[in-house]
Amino acid sequence: MIANSTFAFLALVVSESESGGGGLLSVNGGLAFWTSLTFILLLILLTRFAWKPILSALKQREDAIKDSLEQAEKAKDEAKQILAQNQNSLSKAEDESKKIIEQSRLFAQNLKDQMIKDSKEEAKKLIEEAAAEIDRKKNAAFDELKNQIAEISVQAAEKILKENLDAEKNRKIVDKYINEISKN
Amino acid sequence: MIDSTSTQIIVDSLKTTKAASGSDWILHHVMDGNYLDFSPFFKLYLPHFELFGLDLSITRHVIFMWLGSLLLFIVMTRVAKAYKSSMVPKGFTNFWEIFIVFVRDEIAKPTIGKGFEKFLPYLLTAFFFILFGNFLGLVPFSATFTSNIAVTAVMAIFSFIVTQYGGMRSNGAFGYFKGLIPHGVPILLLPIMIVVEFLGLLTKPFALAIRLFANMTAGHIVVYALISLIFVMQNVAWAGLAIPMALFIYSLEILVALLQAYIFTILSGLFIGMAVHQEH
């Protein structure tokens, strides 16, 4: 199809050129020369002054974009890692503090128990000592009382004997002494 | 498909207009000449110049080729300069960067693959040279130098040279020519295969040249043929039909101008890629 129409076209154009002189399909050597020269010059000049700087600038920009994207990705990863670390250490610290609190509570409990026990014992001991002291004092007081009673009795007897008394009087005297004693 | 259609269009249009009007003024508009055509105002004749028996006259197409090249050089150096001040492209630079990146990422990289950077300057230059030529041809009073077979042939020959250079560079001269013949071909068939493959090498640039030439010529011829409808029918009322249709073809030409630059470049890239990476 293509070959057919191209051939028909060529035939027509060639016939044109034969009749008109310098047809559509006749290659003009001068134009070909100028085209070659222009194109080669353009290729060299554009490569030197346009394509190289443009392409390197494009590449530089693309690299910069790629780099910054990669860096951002890296930074994101790092931040994630740091966050995880932080969370990890935070939970660790929380555990640690819980443990410390637990320990100190236990310690305080123990101390309290110990102190209560100690103070109870102390109190008991004090009470016992006090009781013993009271007993002792009581005994001493009794002894003294006994001695005094004995002495007073002796003195009373002495007075009775000295004053030679009747029964009535004696009785009063004795009562009086006893009263004195009880007052004391 | 497009090629066959466009050549058919050229053939038909030329036949009809010639038969009807009895003149080949359309061909004179499309072809090269020794004057700048500002008709109906004036024609600017260019000097004749010969060297060593070769006609080296500066013709209309040479003038517009230089104009296009100059424009291309100014544009691209400005783009290159813009990158020096800022890595972030703006407006003008951004617009041209789209094309440059397109040629690099959509044409050179997929067609050539590994080592495409070496061929990038050639492909870029070819793409923009053809692009500027095609678009310059759409400006009134100008001429389309890419619709001249001499120009497209030279471009195709450059593609051919670059292809052969790339193939020999990466495979060695002997290895490259050996790689052209498929593996496992019987020795008896070898003489035929060598001829076939050699012809295959030559048809590629030939097709490149004809394709660009035909496509760039066809649209212009159709536009002229539609305009000539007014004169052939000798009734100005035909302008109501001819002008909108010509405008439509002209719009299509804008698309074709871009497309043909792309096709020429991507096919060159494909041929280079096939020559560089022969293992398939």
Side-chain angles (χ1 to χ4, degrees):
Chain A
M1 175 73 186
I2 296 172
N4 260 348
S5 57
T6 310
F7 192 73
F9 173 65
L10 289 185
L12 180 92
V13 169
V14 167
S15 71
E16 287 288 329
S17 64
E18 274 165 1
S19 61
L24 203 56
L25 255 192
S26 62
V27 176
N28 179 350
L31 186 59
F33 168 77
W34 285 122
T35 309
S36 316
L37 195 71
T38 310
F39 189 78
I40 289 173
L41 222 75
L42 197 64
L43 181 63
I44 293 167
L45 286 176
L46 279 180
T47 305
R48 170 85 178 72
F49 293 109
W51 305 139
K52 269 192 183 147
I54 290 173
L55 290 172
S56 71
L58 285 177
K59 191 158 167 45
Q60 211 179 327
R61 193 183 63 198
E62 276 153 18
D63 285 350
I65 290 171
K66 212 200 259 171
D67 272 6
S68 49
L69 277 178
E70 269 170 15
Q71 264 173 6
E73 194 69 26
K74 227 189 208 166
K76 207 172 107 189
D77 281 356
E78 242 165 62
K80 244 184 210 167
Q81 217 175 334
I82 287 170
L83 194 73
Q85 257 176 13
N86 279 354
Q87 253 162 3
N88 199 20
S89 55
L90 201 72
S91 66
K92 231 185 227 170
E94 217 165 287
D95 282 357
E96 195 78 15
S97 63
K98 251 185 207 163
K99 220 155 87 184
I100 288 170
I101 289 169
E102 198 57 43
Q103 271 179 352
S104 51
R105 185 178 288 155
L106 208 71
F107 182 74
Q109 189 69 40
N110 281 348
L111 198 69
K112 194 176 107 189
D113 288 355
Q114 188 66 37
M115 274 165 80
I116 288 171
K117 209 171 123 192
D118 281 0
S119 53
K120 263 184 188 163
E121 271 173 14
E122 190 80 13
K124 211 169 155 192
K125 215 159 99 187
L126 276 175
I127 288 166
E128 271 170 10
E129 267 174 22
E133 183 72 16
I134 287 166
D135 264 3
R136 207 164 48 79
K137 285 265 167 74
K138 203 169 83 187
N139 287 343
F142 262 122
D143 284 351
E144 205 172 333
L145 196 62
K146 265 185 208 163
N147 289 343
Q148 271 184 2
I149 287 171
E151 211 173 304
I152 288 164
S153 309
V154 170
Q155 278 175 1
E158 222 175 58
K159 270 188 184 160
I160 291 165
L161 288 176
K162 264 181 192 164
E163 289 190 16
N164 202 9
L165 309 161
D166 58 313
E168 190 67 23
K169 239 186 173 171
N170 284 354
R171 190 163 189 93
K172 266 184 189 165
I173 290 164
V174 170
D175 278 350
K176 198 177 131 201
Y177 275 102
I178 285 171
N179 261 344
E180 272 173 16
I181 291 163
S182 57
K183 263 174 201 164
N184 288 340
Chain B
M1 194 58 214
I2 290 173
D3 303 330
S4 69
T5 320
S6 49
T7 43
Q8 201 63 55
I9 287 168
I10 296 177
V11 171
D12 290 348
S13 311
L14 284 177
K15 264 184 189 159
T16 7
T17 46
K18 194 168 160 88
S21 62
S23 74
D24 46 359
W25 65 275
I26 291 177
L27 274 183
H28 275 286
H29 270 285
V30 173
M31 273 163 52
D32 201 4
N34 61 342
Y35 57 87
L36 295 180
D37 196 351
F38 291 101
S39 53
F41 308 114
F42 60 92
K43 284 178 178 178
L44 196 67
Y45 281 91
L46 299 160
H48 185 75
F49 171 60
E50 220 168 282
L51 200 70
F52 304 123
L54 188 65
D55 181 12
L56 292 181
S57 313
I58 310 300
T59 60
R60 186 169 34 192
H61 282 169
V62 175
I63 292 286
F64 281 101
M65 184 163 60
W66 286 351
L67 192 65
S69 305
L70 191 70
L71 222 61
L72 175 57
F73 186 73
I74 291 169
V75 164
M76 287 308 161
T77 43
R78 270 193 64 183
V79 170
K81 212 173 274 170
Y83 281 112
K84 270 181 198 145
S85 54
S86 161
M87 283 299 248
V88 184
K90 269 191 219 103
F92 179 82
T93 318
N94 211 357
F95 177 77
W96 292 108
E97 190 196 295
I98 293 169
F99 288 96
I100 295 166
V101 171
F102 177 77
V103 172
R104 190 192 61 179
D105 290 347
E106 306 296 328
I107 296 178
K109 211 183 267 181
T111 54
I112 301 175
K114 212 175 131 228
F116 73 92
E117 292 92 346
K118 228 173 13 193
F119 302 101
L120 206 46
Y122 171 72
L123 291 178
L124 279 167
T125 312
F127 178 80
F128 283 106
F129 186 66
I130 293 168
L131 190 75
F132 273 59
N134 292 353
F135 274 104
L136 210 59
L138 293 177
V139 177
F141 300 121
S142 73
T144 323
F145 69 85
T146 44
S147 73
N148 192 307
I149 189 73
V151 176
T152 60
V154 168
M155 293 298 298
I157 287 167
F158 276 127
S159 273
F160 178 75
I161 291 168
V162 170
T163 307
Q164 305 314 310
Y165 165 78
M168 288 183 211
R169 181 80 189 267
S170 62
N171 301 303
F174 180 71
Y176 170 63
F177 286 114
K178 207 181 129 207
L180 285 176
I181 296 153
H183 286 295
V185 173
I187 295 168
L188 276 175
L189 275 179
L190 222 61
I192 302 169
M193 284 311 289
I194 288 169
V195 173
V196 166
E197 290 297 334
F198 187 69
L199 281 176
L201 275 185
L202 297 182
T203 50
K204 283 173 192 166
F206 181 74
L208 271 183
I210 292 295
R211 180 179 296 107
L212 182 59
F213 157 70
N215 276 289
M216 291 324 295
T217 311
H220 285 70
I221 286 179
V222 173
V223 169
Y224 287 130
L226 284 169
I227 300 287
S228 74
L229 208 60
I230 303 164
F231 304 101
V232 170
M233 296 296 171
Q234 297 188 328
N235 188 347
V236 80
W238 277 94
L241 180 70
I243 299 295
M245 281 177 76
L247 197 65
F248 169 71
I249 297 296
Y250 187 86
S251 319
L252 203 67
E253 280 261 310
I254 295 172
L255 178 73
V256 170
L258 197 65
L259 196 69
Q260 287 308 316
Y262 167 67
I263 287 174
F264 186 93
T265 319
I266 201 165
L267 284 176
S268 296
L270 266 174
F271 297 152
I272 293 169
M274 270 157 65
V276 171
H277 306 291
Q278 280 184 323
E279 54 282 352
H280 48 72

